[in-house]
């Protein structure tokens, strides 16, 4: 990458590619670089004079790219994740993925379009939630065993459900977990796991069921009531 200093002190960056082209060609690359292709016969000094002459046009084009990126970043807004509203930050990068951490959801993409950004977030969010569920499943199974209750083999399915947070077909050894739980804190998701596992021993919602559940997970109401209010 090279740069020229304009008479007013501003810097203009460019990348030069030597090619068999007739004239000099200019192309805007990103928000701060001009790509120049020119034949090897054209001297650098002449190329730089041409760049300086067109400087206003290039800076105008950079501004437009910056404004478009800012608008697209803003449109992605926030994403709900484990009880938090994470701001979405979009990075110009070819990884084509989204990464969730404590404070933000970082999207790495070359395509800033809202639809693409949302797709990357949705895919990453599902993967992260599946991983969390696998972890919580292991946690509950380990604790059950430690308490002397041998849990039957269980297949966990994550899916979007309308009316239930989770369900347990104890006969088939199948637990479904609502993907919408990804909006809520980890402990709330855990409370749903405890609830569904408790059904392997008590199939209804009787007092006995809740006594069993609360004995295993005393904070059940504290974390599960969140789902009733919002
Ligand atoms: Zn139930």
């Amino acid at each position: 990458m090279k740069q020229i200093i304009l008479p007013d002190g501003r810097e203009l960056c460019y990348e030069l590619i030597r090619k068999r082209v007739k004239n000099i060609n200019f192309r805007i690359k990103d928000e701060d670089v001009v790509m120049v292709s020119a034949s090897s016969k054209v001297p650098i000094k002449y190329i730089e004079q041409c760049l300086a002459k067109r400087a206003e046009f290039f800076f105008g084009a950079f501004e437009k790219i910056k404004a478009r990126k800012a608008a697209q970043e803003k449109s992605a807004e926030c994403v709900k994740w484990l009880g938090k509203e994470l701001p979405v930050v979009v990075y110009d990068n070819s990884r084509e993925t989204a990464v969730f951490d404590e404070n933000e959801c970082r999207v790495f993409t070359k395509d800033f379009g809202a639809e693409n950004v949302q797709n990357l977030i949705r895919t990453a969010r599902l993967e992260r939630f599946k991983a969390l569920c696998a972890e919580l499943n292991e946690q509950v199974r380990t604790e059950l065993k430690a308490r002397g209750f041998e849990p039957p083999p269980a297949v966990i399915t994550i899916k979007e459900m309308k009316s239930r947070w989770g369900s347990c077909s104890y006969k088939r050894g199948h637990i479904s977990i609502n993907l919408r739980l990804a909006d809520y804190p980890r402990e709330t998701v855990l409370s749903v796991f405890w609830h569904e596992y408790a059904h392997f021993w008590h199939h209804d919602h009787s007092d006995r069921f809740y006594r069993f559940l609360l004995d295993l997970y005393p904070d059940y109401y504290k974390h599960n009531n969140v789902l009733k209010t919002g």
Side-chain angles (χ1 to χ4, degrees):
M1 184 119 72
K2 296 176 178 183
Q3 60 183 35
I4 56 172
I5 311 286
L6 298 165
D8 63 5
R10 281 183 297 175
E11 293 172 3
L12 180 61
C13 295
Y14 72 98
E15 266 176 51
L16 175 61
I17 299 171
R18 292 296 189 178
K19 264 189 192 170
R20 281 194 192 166
V21 287
K22 207 171 172 193
N23 302 308
I24 308 175
N25 295 325
F26 299 103
R27 193 165 56 80
I28 305 294
K29 188 200 174 194
D30 264 344
E31 58 197 54
D32 49 10
V33 183
V34 182
M35 295 293 293
V36 184
S37 37
S39 96
S40 53
K41 288 179 193 141
V42 185
I44 292 277
K45 204 178 164 193
Y46 180 72
I47 291 170
E48 295 197 339
Q49 277 170 1
C50 291
L51 281 165
K53 228 189 277 177
R54 291 167 174 80
E56 283 318 313
F57 169 79
F58 295 136
F59 284 118
F62 294 157
E63 284 310 311
K64 267 185 210 159
I65 293 173
K66 274 183 210 162
R68 196 169 65 221
K69 280 190 182 179
Q72 281 160 339
E73 280 183 38
K74 224 172 135 192
S75 72
E77 292 164 4
C78 280
V79 57
K80 278 191 180 179
W81 176 246
L82 300 185
K84 285 185 178 175
E85 291 265 355
L86 299 182
V88 174
V89 187
V90 185
Y91 295 89
D92 188 6
N93 183 291
S94 58
R95 283 171 61 193
E96 299 303 325
T97 189
V99 176
F100 287 74
D101 70 20
E102 288 286 300
N103 305 307
E104 63 183 22
C105 169
R106 280 171 285 155
V107 180
F108 300 94
T109 182
K110 283 283 176 190
D111 174 3
F112 283 60
E115 197 183 328
N116 177 58
V117 169
Q118 289 306 322
N119 278 338
L120 291 172
I121 293 172
R122 203 177 302 124
T123 306
R125 193 171 180 273
L126 177 62
E127 287 309 309
R128 277 294 303 270
F129 190 64
K130 277 184 183 167
L132 173 75
C133 286
E135 210 179 284
L136 297 179
N137 184 49
E138 270 316 299
Q139 185 181 335
V140 171
R141 295 182 70 84
T142 306
E143 284 181 37
L144 278 167
K145 282 176 197 164
R147 298 283 299 267
F149 299 97
E150 184 61 36
V155 176
I156 311 296
T157 306
I158 315 291
K159 59 182 181 186
E160 198 124 9
M161 292 188 275
K162 282 215 173 81
S163 55
R164 294 195 290 184
W165 293 110
S167 67
C168 173
S169 0
Y170 44 86
K171 281 181 192 153
R172 289 191 295 134
H174 199 138
I175 290 176
S176 294
I177 298 291
N178 197 334
L179 176 60
R180 286 168 55 210
L181 282 168
D183 291 357
Y184 295 90
R186 180 192 166 97
E187 290 72 21
T188 301
V189 188
L190 180 63
S191 75
V192 174
F193 267 91
W194 276 114
H195 180 116
E196 301 312 332
Y197 263 99
H199 277 311
F200 281 121
W201 285 271
H202 298 276
H203 303 161
D204 52 13
H205 290 121
S206 61
D207 287 348
R208 282 194 333 161
F209 166 81
Y210 279 107
R211 269 201 302 276
F212 181 73
L213 175 55
L214 287 168
D215 186 41
L216 292 165
Y217 189 56
D219 284 338
Y220 178 75
Y221 285 119
K222 182 180 158 194
H223 298 304
N224 197 264
N225 281 351
V226 177
L227 299 175
K228 296 193 172 78
T229 51

